[in-house]
Amino acid sequence: MSAPPRPVPRSGVGVLDKASTVLSVIENGPVSLAEVVERSGLARPTAHRIAVALERLGLLTRDFEGRFVLGPRLGSLSVEAQRDRLVQRALPVLTGLAADTGLDARLFRRRAGRRICIASSPAEPSRDPVPVGACHPLTSGPVAQVLLAWEEPEQLYEGLRGARFTAAQLAAVRQRCWAYGPDSAAGDTVSCAVPVQLRTGRVVAALALSGTAARTGALPRRLLGRSLVDAAVLGDALGRAHAEFVPEAATRR
């Protein structure tokens, strides 16, 4: 039998408190409507109305057995809430990478069909070709591959439309946990990118080192990839920022 839900904070607004109670029942795993009623103490019509309303908002969804489970919108909200912390914790790591390698170190996030630079520590700040806030299509380059490679099949299919890489290339990226190649968004450069992932495996960002072929040529691909895998973990910085940020790639070394 599942453990009873922990005490739920009260707002004093009746409908919000009922919705919060329903969410607290479901957050521990899939439950049927009958179980929602039993564990929440709400009348069946009320529990059903609240659960269905939360489902319409994307805060709940159903599994294959028709039971209520937490919805995808909650995951998105959680990631957004951690965005500032991710950037703050990443900056020292990016700065260290730029200093150690002489390359530009950046952190990117996906927004619909585009990639956005959310943190940057270029080796030459006055000549940064991809400043914070720069936005480019997810159609080419290692960063785009990393941000798309772990998506669900439907989104992966949409992302491949007009892309200069294939599903087979993305499968290879998933297997080795990094991508390497030309990056047209940063001018005449090459980049190596790795994913920053949640414990669930969801990719929330891509970390990239970039530079001209002359600057990156002295670094073997394997060494460059390994250094970025370590950086994707963001050392203790991200690990301590939130327990969910863990290096899936590190478990494959």
Side-chain angles (χ1 to χ4, degrees):
M1 180 180 296
S2 300
R6 63 177 182 270
V8 181
R10 298 292 174 180
S11 68
V13 179
V15 68
L16 292 181
D17 289 340
K18 291 173 183 176
S20 179
T21 297
V22 170
L23 288 171
S24 72
V25 169
I26 297 170
E27 68 181 349
N28 292 320
V31 293
S32 65
L33 177 60
E35 290 172 315
V36 173
V37 172
E38 178 184 353
R39 298 179 195 177
S40 68
L42 298 172
R44 185 182 181 89
T46 300
H48 180 264
R49 184 175 69 253
I50 295 293
V52 169
L54 291 172
E55 184 181 12
R56 289 172 181 164
L57 293 172
L59 301 176
L60 294 181
T61 188
R62 310 272 187 126
D63 66 9
F64 290 114
E65 297 179 19
R67 298 175 299 180
F68 289 103
V69 295
L70 295 180
R73 190 174 175 192
L74 287 172
S76 299
L77 291 172
S78 175
V79 170
E80 288 303 319
Q82 297 173 60
R83 176 180 176 181
D84 289 342
R85 182 176 296 180
L86 174 63
V87 171
Q88 291 169 7
R89 298 289 182 167
L91 282 174
V93 177
L94 298 180
T95 301
L97 273 173
D100 292 343
T101 65
L103 302 175
D104 299 338
R106 301 185 183 89
L107 195 66
F108 295 87
R109 294 195 67 211
R110 179 186 176 190
R111 181 70 68 205
R114 304 183 73 82
R115 68 179 207 182
I116 301 173
C117 179
I118 61 172
S120 177
S121 187
E124 300 180 47
S126 62
R127 302 176 60 185
D128 188 358
V130 187
V132 172
C135 183
H136 297 91
L138 283 172
T139 54
S140 65
V143 171
Q145 292 176 36
V146 165
L147 290 175
L148 283 173
W150 282 264
E151 287 294 344
E152 295 296 325
E154 183 176 345
Q155 295 185 33
L156 194 61
Y157 174 78
E158 291 296 328
L160 284 170
R161 291 185 176 181
R164 299 177 187 173
F165 44 79
T166 66
Q169 287 175 287
L170 295 186
V173 170
R174 286 195 302 274
Q175 183 175 11
R176 66 175 179 256
C177 282
W178 56 274
Y180 180 90
D183 187 355
S184 58
D188 185 21
T189 67
V190 293
S191 296
C192 186
V194 291
V196 176
Q197 296 173 289
L198 298 179
R199 188 177 298 276
T200 60
R202 178 177 181 178
V203 172
V204 295
L207 182 64
L209 281 179
S210 349
T212 63
R215 289 166 64 194
T216 60
L219 291 174
R221 284 192 190 184
R222 183 173 299 179
L223 177 61
L224 185 59
R226 175 165 291 187
S227 70
L228 280 169
V229 168
D230 292 338
V233 181
L234 298 183
D236 289 337
L238 268 188
R240 292 173 183 172
H242 196 286
E244 283 190 312
F245 285 102
V246 296
E248 184 192 33
T251 66
R252 301 186 181 186
R253 278 192 286 173

